[in-house]
Amino acid sequence: GGDIKFTSEDELKKLTQHIISEKLLCSKVRAYTVQVPLPGIPTYVVALLASEDKETAADIIKTHKRVLQLCNQADLKIISISSDGAANELLAQMEVVNLSKSHLEFIRPEQGIKIKIPLVGSPPLPLVGIQDPKHARKTSVNQLLSGARLLCFGKYWFSILHLSVLVESEESSLYAKDVFNSDKQDDGRAYRVLNEDTLRIALGSEECTG
C-alpha cells in the first residue's frame, strides 16, 4: 500500500538475492484495466501487479480495495469490477459486497431473491461485482456442450444438437471445430456461437424453435 524506497544499490542487490534464495518470485502478473462503457473506446491497462501463486481471496480483495481508492482519488467513477472464473477470484467477487458498510438492497422473499450492492467512493456509488464478460461467454458456450445440464429459456431449450444444425447453414459463422472436438478456451469460438448472426439463423430454423 505504500512506496518502497532504496537508499543504495547494495540494498537493492541484497533484496534481489533474498527474493531468489527464498523463492519469492511471482509467476503471474495481475492486470487492472479500465473499460469505458461506450462504443469505440479501447480498454486501458492502469496497473500491473505481481501476483503470488498462493494468493487468496483476502489478498485479492485487499488489492481491489486499494485500486478502487486510487480510482476515487483520480475521480474515476467505477460502476462494476470483474474477474475470471478462478476459485479465489470468484470468492473475492463475493467479498466485494463487504467493501462498504452502506448498500443498495433488492429483496423479493417470495422468489428467494436478495441482492446487496455496496456503495463505494465519494460520493458513494453502486459497485457491482461481475464475471469477466469473455470468461462468462466461454462458460456459457461450454455449458451447451457439457451434457450435464439442459440449458432452458422458458419452455424452450438449447444444446449441442441445435449447434450441429446451425453449423450446416451457409450463412453461419460457425466452424465444425466450434461444435465438435472444440477448444473450450477459444475466445473466437465463444464469440461465433453467441452473436447476432447465430441468433438470426437460429430464429429462422424450424429445428431451433424458441
Side-chain angles (χ1 to χ4, degrees), residues 25-50:
L25 294 169
C26 294
S27 61
K28 297 179 290 184
V29 173
R30 178 177 301 281
Y32 277 89
T33 64
V34 170
Q35 183 173 4
V36 179
L38 293 172
I41 300 180
T43 299
Y44 295 96
V45 177
V46 295
L48 290 173
L49 307 175

Side-chain angles (χ1 to χ4, degrees), residues 20 40 43 51 62 84 91-92 113 121 129 135 140 169:
I20 295 173
T43 299
S51 176
K62 183 178 179 181
D84 63 24
L91 287 173
I113 296 174
H135 285 86
S140 299
S169 171

Side-chain angles (χ1 to χ4, degrees), residues 118-134:
L119 298 173
V120 178
S122 180
L125 296 173
L127 176 70
V128 180
I130 62 174
Q131 188 179 18
D132 173 66
K134 285 187 177 180

Side-chain angles (χ1 to χ4, degrees), residues 40 64 73 170 176 179:
H64 283 354
Q73 292 174 17
E170 293 182 357
V179 182

Side-chain angles (χ1 to χ4, degrees), residues 181-198:
N181 299 319
S182 57
D183 178 2
K184 303 297 190 297
Q185 299 302 317
D186 183 359
D187 288 322
R189 165 183 162 268
Y191 178 77
R192 288 188 293 273
V193 173
L194 296 181
N195 65 19
E196 183 180 356
D197 292 337
T198 302

